[in-house]
Amino acid sequence: MEPDAVNITQIINKKTLKHRRDDFAVCWIKREVNGIKIDDVLYKNVSNSIFFIDPKYQWKILKKCNTYSSGYILYLAKEVLNSPVLSNLHINKVRLFNSGEIPLFKLSPGIEKRTQAILEMIDELLGSQLNHKDDAILSLLNTFFVYCDGQCNIKSIASNNNSKSNIVYKFKQLVDQYIFEHHEVADYAKLQNISPKYLNECVKEVLAVSSKNIIIEQLLMRSRHALKFSDKSIKEISFELGFSSPDYFSYFFKTHTGITPSALRKK
């Protein structure tokens, strides 16, 4: 890999301008900014969004004058996206950067922490003299792209009118916040003052899965983590996750995974 084929900078200044003309840019706007302007079109309300921008576009990020970082910009040379490690991914140059549109992802709650950790590790490797660092960087980029392209995130096209995407993103925030209390789609629809039918319609259109699947996915993720990495009893875990009884928790877990909670713990 050529020197400077991968580069990471933070979004700190009042105005961040594109400065690597021929590189692809992945802009992760972590904290709220005034907006990102792409070819003279200003996109607002882009907190926690990742933009994938082809070199043909001119862009700049505008923020208030302060010293904290609002996110990261990952610059990638064409050779990096064409590397064998990344070329088999769906999330590649052909799909994302040459589609004639500007794809963006709204990261699911929790995933942003993993995303930041990956970018920080890449940045650390870039400044090191470690053996095989290029292989490590490509591996981390592969993981980063897999997380971005996961069903847990909300993909849309950059525009100023993504109302359904916003509803789905809010739904996923609410699931992350209230999963210990609410397991039904109707509960989350009520929190957004919309009908369960419309919420499910939005989720299916944006994520191609049902609203219930998102809730189940979150419950299983929390269940696996607690069973694997805590000393709590299955009874304690079941009540913490909002199940009415340990028996129902075990039934739920086995129905969706094929094994019982106790069997998972023995693995």
Side-chain angles (χ1 to χ4, degrees):
M1 193 160 64
E2 292 293 323
D4 222 26
V6 178
N7 187 264
I8 293 178
T9 62
Q10 293 196 55
I11 304 169
I12 295 176
N13 298 325
K14 186 175 180 181
K15 186 183 294 183
T16 302
L17 300 173
K18 171 185 177 179
H19 69 272
R20 289 170 56 120
R21 188 180 64 180
D22 297 324
D23 284 357
F24 299 88
V26 181
C27 300
W28 178 28
I29 301 173
K30 182 182 176 184
R31 294 186 179 92
E32 192 59 75
V33 296
N34 293 340
I36 179 170
K37 185 175 280 190
I38 304 173
D39 278 359
D40 295 323
V41 178
L42 180 65
Y43 302 98
K44 298 182 178 180
N45 302 315
V46 292
S47 178
N48 204 33
S49 297
I50 294 184
F51 289 79
F52 294 83
I53 309 179
D54 187 278
K56 66 186 177 185
Y57 294 107
Q58 296 299 316
W59 57 267
K60 59 185 173 183
I61 299 170
L62 309 171
K63 59 175 286 195
K64 294 179 180 177
C65 188
N66 45 44
T67 56
Y68 70 78
S69 171
S70 291
Y72 299 86
I73 301 167
L74 174 64
Y75 290 101
L76 301 171
K78 184 177 180 180
E79 65 170 280
V80 176
L81 293 174
N82 288 338
S83 69
V85 175
L86 303 179
S87 61
N88 290 328
L89 287 173
H90 287 163
I91 186 164
N92 56 24
K93 173 176 175 288
V94 174
R95 174 173 171 182
L96 278 182
F97 294 103
N98 283 354
S99 63
E101 298 168 322
I102 304 169
L104 70 90
F105 287 83
K106 284 277 191 178
L107 292 180
S108 175
I111 296 297
E112 66 228 45
K113 295 177 183 177
R114 298 180 180 89
T115 299
Q116 178 165 337
I118 292 168
L119 291 177
E120 288 175 349
M121 283 189 284
I122 293 172
D123 196 25
E124 184 179 330
L125 282 165
L126 288 170
S128 77
Q129 299 299 321
L130 295 173
N131 293 330
H132 310 295
K133 78 171 187 179
D134 287 358
D135 293 334
I137 289 169
L138 287 171
S139 179
L140 286 167
L141 284 172
N142 183 72
T143 304
F144 171 78
F145 286 146
V146 167
Y147 269 126
C148 287
D149 207 25
Q151 243 179 19
C152 53
N153 298 318
I154 299 169
K155 181 186 176 186
S156 59
I157 302 301
S159 77
N160 287 314
N161 186 25
N162 281 321
S163 58
K164 287 189 175 180
S165 291
N166 290 336
I167 286 172
V168 177
Y169 182 63
K170 181 64 175 177
F171 165 61
K172 291 185 69 61
Q173 283 186 311
L174 290 169
V175 171
D176 185 68
Q177 183 178 355
Y178 293 109
I179 192 64
F180 300 110
E181 304 168 42
H182 300 314
H183 295 180
E184 300 301 325
V185 174
D187 296 323
Y188 295 100
K190 185 176 180 181
L191 288 169
Q192 293 202 66
N193 295 313
I194 58 177
S195 71
K197 182 179 179 181
Y198 183 63
L199 175 57
N200 202 46
E201 177 187 317
C202 293
V203 174
K204 281 190 172 180
E205 182 173 319
V206 174
L207 296 178
V209 295
S210 71
S211 304
K212 189 66 175 179
N213 281 348
I214 298 298
I215 297 170
I216 291 170
E217 176 189 85
Q218 190 67 223
L219 282 169
L220 290 174
M221 184 177 72
R222 301 293 181 97
S223 300
R224 287 193 188 96
H225 188 273
L227 290 166
K228 283 280 190 180
F229 302 109
S230 81
D231 296 325
K232 295 174 183 175
S233 68
I234 291 174
K235 180 179 179 181
E236 288 175 312
I237 292 170
S238 65
F239 286 130
E240 278 191 6
L241 286 171
F243 288 91
S244 56
S245 70
D247 286 342
Y248 181 60
F249 170 64
S250 295
Y251 169 78
F252 167 86
F253 193 83
K254 185 174 182 181
T255 297
H256 293 288
T257 66
I259 60 173
T260 62
S262 56
L264 178 71
R265 280 202 146 160
K266 292 175 183 177
K267 284 191 170 187

